[in-house]
Amino acid sequence: MSQSLIKRIKKLIEQDELTRKRRDRHLVNKRMFLFTLLKKKGFTVAEIGRLFNLHHSTIIYGIKKHEELLKLNDVYLKKDTLMYREYLYEKITDYVKSDLKDDILKAKSLEEFIEIKLRVTLGGY
């Protein structure tokens, strides 16, 4: 993993105070996303735990829960992690930056329209 990506992840952890023991849904979704990303990049659960000041079993549970929510195509997970995905340049979902008109024409579900709306709000087009 590049050093710049690690620095960006640490900045997000500090900025959103993800080491605090708060269980707000949007914070939990962001933590789980970062747990999974770091695990995919080769970090051990113990290393991830130290980064977040959490027990390794919490990291394992968070990664499993994140994978479940991805399979369910959870709208809140997508919404809560969209800015992280764009900031870290990760293609965790099928998000592809493209033309607004094309995305609207291709959208087939409410969730896809919600994601388009979020991208518009965040200046993704």
Side-chain angles (χ1 to χ4, degrees):
M1 179 185 286
S2 71
Q3 289 298 326
S4 65
L5 187 56
I6 294 170
K7 286 179 185 178
R8 285 182 277 160
I9 290 173
K10 286 181 179 181
K11 180 180 176 182
L12 291 173
I13 292 169
E14 184 179 313
Q15 168 191 309
D16 290 340
E17 299 178 335
L18 298 178
T19 57
R20 292 185 61 205
K21 304 282 189 222
R22 294 182 52 203
R23 293 176 25 186
D24 302 39
R25 182 179 184 146
H26 69 281
L27 296 176
V28 172
N29 284 338
K30 290 176 180 183
R31 273 189 215 109
M32 291 186 308
F33 168 77
L34 292 175
F35 295 167
T36 303
L37 176 63
L38 290 165
K39 183 67 177 155
K40 287 181 179 181
K41 296 293 184 179
F43 279 74
T44 67
V45 291
E47 291 170 329
I48 299 168
R50 281 191 293 276
L51 194 58
F52 286 88
N53 195 27
L54 294 169
H55 194 267
H56 72 277
S57 62
T58 304
I59 307 304
I60 293 168
Y61 175 80
I63 291 169
K64 287 180 183 178
K65 188 68 175 174
H66 182 259
E67 290 170 357
E68 288 174 17
L69 292 174
L70 280 178
K71 286 179 187 174
L72 294 172
N73 206 17
D74 186 80
V75 178
Y76 296 106
L77 178 68
K78 282 184 167 185
K79 178 179 112 12
D80 294 340
T81 60
L82 179 64
M83 288 175 43
Y84 277 22
R85 288 182 281 137
E86 290 181 348
Y87 180 70
L88 298 170
Y89 305 105
E90 291 297 321
K91 305 296 185 201
I92 301 300
T93 64
D94 58 348
Y95 169 73
V96 176
K97 202 168 191 174
S98 62
D99 181 44
L100 175 61
K101 181 181 175 184
D102 288 342
D103 283 352
I104 291 171
L105 293 173
K106 291 177 185 175
K108 296 178 182 161
S109 68
L110 178 61
E111 290 82 14
E112 290 172 337
F113 282 109
I114 291 170
E115 189 164 344
I116 291 169
K117 180 181 176 186
L118 285 169
R119 283 189 227 146
V120 169
T121 304
L122 297 170
Y125 290 99

